[in-house]
Amino acid sequence: MRLERIRTDPQSFLKHASRAEIILHLGSGRGLAENMRRTGRSNPTVWSWRDRFLVEGIGGILYDARPPGLDPVAEEKAEALAGRANSPPPKHASHWTARALAGKLGMVASRVRNVLKRNGLKLHIVKTFEVSRDPRFESNIRNVVGLYVHPPDHAIAQSVDERTQIQALGQTQAPLPMKPEHPETRTHVQKRNGTTCLMAALDVAAGKVVGQTVRQHRSEEFLAFLDRAGRGIKRDADMHVVLYNVSRANAVRGFFSNKLSRQRLRNAVFNSREECVAAIEGRIEHHNANHA
């Protein structure tokens, strides 16, 4: 019997099996009270599926009269929500929240979140930007980017910057290793084993990095590093240096953030400043040998 197969088939939806069970109990002659007790359904639910079965047969219990979920938010209300989210927040708050918007517009907070998500609006994220006041900013950026993309023939272009206050952080206790379903665990107490500063120059064309770690980053250390970065370059060579530039369009910053910080320093444990320096120098050597 098809109803029995629907009720017992492990592949059946639970709601379909429950409805089939209601009809089977009614067909066996059991009373309403017994049916409600065995199926755990209310009186209106039992009679509703009985009437649907009598009119539409087995097919009637295999579909829902209305689709699940809430009705979609009207376009006008969604536009009003987006406009309100971009308006100044209440005086007692620094920003809008989904709950505050829901209360203002008479909506449910979950529906507010859905509308915001659909429109790509994120109330909890704030990003920063800076507009330069230098009247020559645009022309300077064009010159720097043009130098990277189309350097002059037989010229040398270097991006020079420094990464200061690199901390050699250790652990007061040995970490616990990673296990299935459980990440590596460390104590929240860290031990500071000193700091170092990295001065680096990236050869834009070759992709190689010249680096030097120092305890202090004064002018004398920086001038000494420039001498080191210029070793092997002919005195009459066409030399272009992008220096500092407040982190804008400075190519060596990509090495600092990606190759060094993310791939070597982050989550590393150093028991001394010397270990940290060795790790930095080893990463530069690895980059020059494999990624330049």
Side-chain angles (χ1 to χ4, degrees):
M1 187 177 180
R2 188 179 176 190
L3 283 173
E4 185 63 30
R5 290 199 302 269
I6 294 173
R7 187 182 71 86
T8 58
D9 189 350
Q11 300 297 322
S12 295
F13 289 110
L14 181 61
K15 60 184 179 181
H16 294 164
S18 175
R19 296 166 189 174
E21 186 177 19
I22 291 174
I23 304 304
L24 287 170
H25 283 317
L26 289 173
S28 65
R30 295 187 176 95
L32 177 61
E34 180 67 11
N35 197 318
M36 293 168 56
R37 187 185 68 80
R38 287 177 174 269
T39 62
R41 300 296 177 175
S42 65
N43 187 336
T45 300
V46 171
W47 286 114
S48 174
W49 290 114
R50 170 190 173 278
D51 293 341
R52 175 86 71 84
F53 177 76
L54 292 177
V55 174
E56 303 180 29
I58 294 178
I61 67 173
L62 298 180
Y63 79 92
D64 296 314
R66 57 179 176 82
L70 300 172
D71 295 331
V73 178
E75 191 66 28
E76 297 79 8
K77 201 160 190 176
E79 292 179 1
L81 172 58
R84 177 69 69 172
N86 282 294
S87 67
K91 293 182 179 180
H92 61 273
S94 62
H95 61 281
W96 282 109
T97 64
R99 190 177 297 275
L101 285 171
K104 196 72 175 178
L105 299 174
M107 299 174 62
V108 180
S110 60
R111 306 195 75 184
V112 169
R113 295 187 186 96
N114 291 336
V115 173
L116 293 174
K117 183 178 181 180
R118 190 164 62 245
N119 288 274
L121 300 175
K122 300 178 180 179
L123 302 175
H124 60 289
I125 295 179
V126 176
K127 293 187 176 181
T128 60
F129 71 95
E130 181 181 356
V131 178
S132 176
R133 300 179 184 276
D134 185 356
R136 298 176 299 173
F137 173 75
E138 184 176 350
S139 62
N140 288 340
I141 286 293
R142 288 181 180 273
N143 289 337
V144 170
V145 176
L147 181 65
Y148 290 156
V149 178
H150 299 293
D153 294 335
H154 310 295
I156 299 173
Q158 285 190 344
S159 171
V160 180
D161 207 340
E162 62 181 358
R163 169 78 186 274
T164 62
Q165 296 296 313
I166 302 175
Q167 298 194 54
L169 296 175
Q171 293 286 314
T172 57
Q173 300 179 34
L176 301 178
M178 177 175 57
K179 297 179 181 179
E181 305 297 332
H182 196 277
E184 178 182 326
T185 308
R186 300 180 179 181
T187 63
H188 67 279
V189 181
Q190 293 180 313
K191 184 179 179 181
R192 301 179 185 274
N193 296 310
T195 62
T196 188
C197 172
L198 172 63
M199 298 177 180
L202 171 68
D203 187 321
V204 176
K208 291 191 174 183
V209 175
V210 176
Q212 181 177 354
T213 56
V214 293
R215 288 183 178 272
Q216 295 177 293
H217 55 106
R218 301 169 300 183
S219 59
E220 53 191 278
E221 285 85 8
F222 189 71
L223 290 173
F225 168 71
L226 290 180
D227 289 339
R228 178 179 178 178
R231 290 175 188 171
I233 299 176
K234 297 180 180 179
R235 298 182 63 88
D236 59 346
D238 185 9
M239 186 75 179
H240 301 267
V241 177
V242 179
L243 180 61
Y244 287 102
N245 205 28
V246 198
S247 305
R248 286 195 299 262
N250 219 357
V252 74
R253 282 280 171 173
F255 172 80
F256 285 162
S257 63
N258 185 33
K259 301 294 184 180
L260 184 63
S261 295
R262 296 179 186 175
Q263 300 183 23
R264 186 60 185 94
L265 299 180
R266 180 181 295 176
N267 297 328
V269 177
F270 301 117
N271 295 316
S272 66
R273 177 185 177 276
E274 289 69 27
E275 282 189 12
C276 181
V277 169
I280 293 172
E281 293 175 348
R283 185 64 201 184
I284 293 176
E285 292 177 3
H286 176 79
H287 169 80
N288 290 337
N290 299 278
H291 302 294

